[in-house]
Amino acid sequence: MVGGSVRDHLLGREIRDIDLAAALAPAQLRAAGFRLVEGKSTDPIWFASNPSFGTIELTALADTPLLDADLVRRDFTVNAMAMDLSGRLIDPLGGRGDLEAGLLRACTKRTFADDPLRIFRAFRFEADGWRLSDDTGELIRSQDWSGSFETIPVERFSREMVKALSAPHPERFFRDMLEYGVGRQYLPELFRMGGVPAGPLAHHPEGDLCTHSLQVLERLSSHSDSPLARFCALFHDIGKLATDPSEYPAHHRHCLSGFDMARPFNHRLRLPAAFGTALAWTSLLHGHLNRWSELRDSTRITTVEKAVKGGIAGILPLVSAADKGAEGEPADWTEIMRIVRMNTTRLGIEPDRLTSIPAPQRPDLILQRRIEYLRRHRCANQPEG
């Protein structure tokens, strides 16, 4: 057993996937149910699936004495340990000491040269609570890596980013990108944010858009571990990047700009379509929630309707609260969601009545009936006297 399996075992964590190294011939591996996967930018790995253990990844060795050489070629010392079937630990680089100290240390000076994407894996580990050793940080700073990423698909970067968005401190991943100046070709929007004001200082004393966005991500992360919600929190103001600098510090129509930018941005990162849809609607609607008390009932209802349509009814209130540094969802939000999900029969609209009026007028009738329901609910819940 090698790599992350040994690390998690020593940390007392549940091992989700099994990592193995073995000196077995291809015919033996196939007979045991393994299949070979050869990536364009990664080493070949043998995969198998077992109902008791889940996914099993195996690195094939030409001979057993080559195990130490295989471990040294891995990314970080905490992942460069092995354990044989008797439980004996094999630790050629002192990974257990780094494990106990919570340190992430590159195995060799060639760690990142061999696979530059390991830099983002390091940042993802920091999001999970690890701390880069000083020598590893200097190794990242030692050169310009931008040319090294040209042959690495954006999907590999995005996988590390989404894993970081699921970690306890996702903001550290993006702060590391900025601190070390790495990843601009994958996420140029992040690097542009620092030069854009978040808004008028009266409303945004934090100053720039990057600081604001990372603060929103950090605040939301204390209430939700959903990578989708956290993605929307970080980029909810992406539309402000489209503002003409002559309009700074204001960002008129940035919600509309964000709606238009979200899906192409998501497509470029090769993320699931749900991420683009959620970000588009979050960008468009979060401004409404930020001034919820000023909205008419009709606008509140149509806002919730669009949030339900965009699949962000649970995300949008969290992003808005994190955006304002507040707690809780807007007044009537849960009740309006209930009303929006009611069909026309439950709203008291007879089918004959609905079909008797022109189709363009039917949404107005349904909206009016929803407003009536909302106001009746308010009256019923007002304290007497």
Side-chain angles (χ1 to χ4, degrees):
M1 191 167 67
V2 296
S5 298
V6 178
R7 180 196 70 228
D8 290 344
H9 172 69
L10 294 175
L11 288 172
R13 296 177 179 174
E14 178 184 0
I15 302 175
R16 296 180 181 177
D17 299 309
I18 304 294
D19 297 318
L20 301 176
L24 295 172
Q28 292 174 294
L29 291 170
R30 291 191 182 94
F34 285 88
R35 61 184 177 86
L36 181 63
V37 175
E38 297 186 85
K40 292 181 180 179
S41 58
T42 56
D43 292 334
I45 294 288
W46 292 84
F47 283 87
S49 182
N50 183 287
S52 299
F53 299 110
T55 301
I56 303 172
E57 297 184 13
L58 186 144
T59 299
L61 304 175
D63 200 357
T64 305
L66 297 175
L67 175 61
D68 277 12
D70 173 74
L71 294 176
V72 171
R73 288 178 58 245
R74 291 174 179 263
D75 51 9
F76 308 111
T77 59
V78 295
N79 295 329
M81 295 180 284
M83 186 173 285
D84 65 18
L85 295 180
S86 69
R88 180 176 65 92
L89 184 66
I90 302 163
D91 182 14
L93 298 176
R96 184 156 197 171
D98 287 336
L99 185 74
E100 292 170 352
L103 275 180
L104 200 65
R105 188 186 310 277
C107 287
T108 71
K109 290 184 177 181
R110 286 203 52 81
T111 289
F112 300 124
D114 290 341
D115 183 359
L117 198 92
R118 288 170 169 174
I119 294 172
F120 299 111
R121 194 173 304 148
F123 297 166
R124 188 246 298 176
F125 268 72
E126 284 230 304
D128 204 31
W130 297 79
R131 179 169 54 87
L132 285 179
S133 67
D134 291 342
D135 55 339
T136 300
E138 287 304 313
L139 197 57
I140 297 173
R141 287 193 176 93
S142 65
Q143 70 179 79
D144 178 2
W145 298 96
S146 54
S148 304
F149 296 131
E150 290 179 359
T151 60
I152 298 178
V154 68
E155 290 89 342
R156 290 190 66 203
F157 165 79
S158 294
R159 277 196 293 271
E160 296 298 334
M161 181 181 74
V162 172
K163 287 179 181 179
L165 285 169
S166 303
H169 307 284
E171 70 283 354
R172 294 180 184 174
F173 178 88
F174 303 98
R175 285 184 175 139
D176 279 348
M177 287 181 65
L178 294 166
E179 179 183 346
Y180 291 96
V182 175
R184 186 183 296 270
Q185 56 272 79
Y186 294 125
L187 209 55
E189 293 81 1
L190 178 70
F191 288 83
R192 287 181 55 205
M193 286 179 176
V196 176
L201 284 176
H203 303 292
H204 289 282
E206 66 277 21
D208 65 88
L209 180 59
C210 185
T211 301
H212 169 67
S213 299
L214 290 170
Q215 285 178 352
V216 174
L217 170 61
E218 190 169 3
R219 286 195 288 257
L220 182 136
S221 297
S222 65
H223 296 283
S224 172
D225 58 5
S226 161
L228 179 59
R230 293 173 172 190
F231 176 76
C232 291
L234 179 61
F235 296 110
H236 73 284
D237 272 342
I238 191 173
K240 291 182 178 179
L241 295 176
T243 301
D244 189 313
S246 65
E247 298 181 11
Y248 291 164
H251 294 279
H252 304 297
R253 299 174 62 83
H254 78 277
C255 293
L256 288 170
S257 298
F259 185 82
D260 293 336
M261 294 168 66
R263 288 186 178 90
F265 169 66
N266 187 74
H267 178 72
R268 197 191 75 232
L269 290 172
R270 300 293 189 267
L271 292 170
F275 277 65
T277 300
L279 179 59
W281 287 106
T282 300
S283 299
L284 182 67
L285 299 176
H286 75 275
H288 282 181
L289 270 75
N290 289 351
R291 51 188 182 86
W292 188 258
S293 62
E294 305 168 17
L295 301 182
R296 295 180 304 218
D297 286 338
S298 59
T299 307
R300 291 185 180 190
I301 290 169
T302 55
T303 297
V304 174
E305 192 174 15
K306 290 174 181 177
V308 171
K309 176 184 175 182
I312 59 165
I315 290 174
L316 188 59
L318 293 173
V319 173
S320 175
D323 192 16
K324 297 180 295 184
E327 296 284 341
E329 63 185 30
D332 296 332
W333 182 266
T334 300
E335 179 58 23
I336 295 174
M337 271 208 301
R338 186 183 71 83
I339 294 170
V340 162
R341 287 174 169 146
M342 292 169 65
N343 59 32
T344 53
T345 302
R346 290 188 62 199
L347 286 171
I349 304 173
E350 297 296 331
D352 291 344
R353 170 77 192 285
L354 199 61
T355 56
S356 68
I357 62 176
Q361 297 177 13
R362 292 171 192 170
D364 291 336
L365 173 61
I366 294 170
L367 176 60
Q368 186 56 45
R369 202 54 65 89
R370 285 172 172 165
I371 292 171
E372 292 169 4
Y373 254 84
L374 177 61
R375 290 175 178 171
R376 283 204 298 270
H377 169 78
R378 284 204 195 112
C379 290
N381 286 276
Q382 281 182 349
E384 296 184 4

